Amino acid sequence: DLPLVLLLLMGLVGVAVSVDSALSARIYGELLGGVALYYGIVNGLPAARLGRGVWFFLLLGAAMGLVGWLGMRYLEKFLPIPFMYEYMPRLEFPFLNSSGFTANLVAGAVAPALPIAFAWAWTLSRRQRGLVLAFAVFFSSIVVLTQSRGAILGLLVAGAILLLWRAPRLIWLAAAAALLGVAAVFWLGPANVTEVLLVSDSTNTAASRFEVWSRALYIWQDFPFTGIGLGPFAQSVPLLYPLFLNDPAVPIPHAHNIYLQMGVDYGLPGLVAFIGLVTTTLCIAVSNVLRTRGARTGWLAIGLLAGYSVYLVHGLLDAVTTNSKVAVIIWFLIGLSIVLSRAVDEGRELTA
């Protein structure tokens, strides 16, 4: 509760100092909605009905994935699949985003749900398992279409978490994978690997991404206690911290890093609150995993931990912040973790 209270207070500060108070007030309303959803789940979802909450979570993720798929702005990145984009239906959702959804934003909505769907499937009957695995296939296809590097890296981390939980003796594979990764970086060249990882639709080179990150750090230095407010990054940076490597015609809506962006929006106290929220959630998720080892609920516990890990890793390369519309899936995930902790305390087994 304490990190959330501090975050809400710093959000009010962000509205007060913003150069666009209407934009910041709307974003603050989205933050309030996310926090309200979290408390609604924690206080309104009985531990005995957690399974129904998981089903609703997967349906919500599928709905967000479908809307994102139909309204996504496609951009070929590193997978040569332009022929697929030509046959994709496209719709406009001006009430959500008049310019369409970026690929990284869509990936941020569905990627955290993928490991949860995969893990939850193994606790169900064969018929229900097939349905949940269908959700997992749909989420996977959306991530492939987005070609989001952050989401793919997050899913690799989530996959490692699931594998090590299921077969702890394979821990040696982590060391082998790390060595192979280092060898691949040296073989391909650090500059080439960095270029592939950091290119996006708004920062077309790794150097331009680093430039955006440096502007976020400048904001930290100049506005450490308040930030620049909720949302005016695109307006403030060109005026106060001109960009030289990025195309001025392409707007930069955020810092492309959730941790930098939280400091930009809420100031360093808000970043501390966010880190407190992340730390608390991870501690609860890990505790759930340790206390359900060998039980049926263990699959859901490890799925929730892996799903939240996807969000945190994806945040290194993009900014699905706590006050974005997509963050509804993260607030839901955190709420499920709390309800699962209560179910473990009560010694309950889940029902689908």
Side-chain angles (χ1 to χ4, degrees), residues 5-240:
V5 170
L6 179 57
L7 190 64
L8 290 173
L9 289 175
M10 292 309 301
L12 289 175
V13 173
V15 174
V17 304
S18 174
V19 297
D20 190 340
S21 57
L23 171 64
S24 296
R26 178 179 61 79
I27 292 175
Y28 187 74
E30 294 173 354
L31 173 64
L32 284 176
V35 175
L37 172 64
Y38 161 75
Y39 279 111
I41 294 170
V42 170
N43 296 312
L45 180 63
R49 296 289 182 266
L50 179 56
R52 296 182 181 181
V54 177
W55 279 109
F56 191 84
F57 172 82
L58 296 178
L59 287 171
L60 176 63
M64 295 179 69
L66 180 61
V67 172
W69 169 49
L70 295 175
M72 184 167 55
R73 301 200 307 260
Y74 293 108
L75 176 68
E76 184 180 352
K77 297 180 180 180
F78 57 91
L79 295 178
I81 52 176
F83 65 92
M84 295 182 62
Y85 296 150
E86 297 177 3
Y87 301 100
M88 293 293 177
R90 300 186 185 184
L91 298 177
E92 295 183 1
F93 299 93
F95 57 95
L96 293 175
N97 192 327
S98 58
S99 59
F101 310 120
T102 63
N104 287 334
L105 189 68
V106 176
V110 301
L114 176 55
I116 298 173
F118 182 78
W120 175 240
W122 305 112
T123 69
L124 305 174
S125 65
R126 182 173 298 180
R127 179 178 301 178
Q128 292 175 325
R129 181 181 302 172
L131 178 59
V132 174
L133 289 178
F135 277 113
V137 171
F138 177 69
F139 295 148
S140 300
S141 63
I142 295 296
V143 173
V144 170
L145 287 174
T146 63
Q147 301 187 52
S148 171
R149 299 163 181 83
I152 293 173
L153 287 175
L155 289 173
L156 289 175
V157 171
I161 292 173
L162 292 173
L163 180 63
L164 292 177
W165 177 83
R166 187 66 181 87
R169 294 181 180 180
L170 296 180
I171 186 66
W172 61 270
L173 287 178
L179 291 175
L180 288 175
V182 171
V185 169
F186 279 101
W187 181 60
L188 297 173
N192 293 331
V193 173
T194 302
E195 195 70 34
V196 170
L197 287 176
L198 298 185
V199 171
S200 73
D201 52 351
S202 55
T203 56
N204 53 14
T205 64
S208 60
R209 177 71 70 92
F210 286 129
E211 184 182 51
V212 172
W213 288 348
S214 71
R215 298 312 187 261
L217 293 174
Y218 291 156
I219 292 173
W220 283 20
Q221 294 174 1
D222 293 341
F223 306 94
F225 300 110
T226 64
I228 58 173
L230 308 185
F233 187 84
Q235 301 101 303
S236 301
V237 168
L239 293 176
L240 300 176

Side-chain angles (χ1 to χ4, degrees), residues 65 71 248 262 270:
M262 292 301 293

Side-chain angles (χ1 to χ4, degrees), residues 246-267:
N246 287 271
D247 185 355
V250 179
I252 308 293
H254 49 71
H256 286 280
N257 181 292
I258 189 174
Y259 309 97
L260 292 175
Q261 189 64 41
M262 292 301 293
V264 166
D265 286 347
Y266 297 90

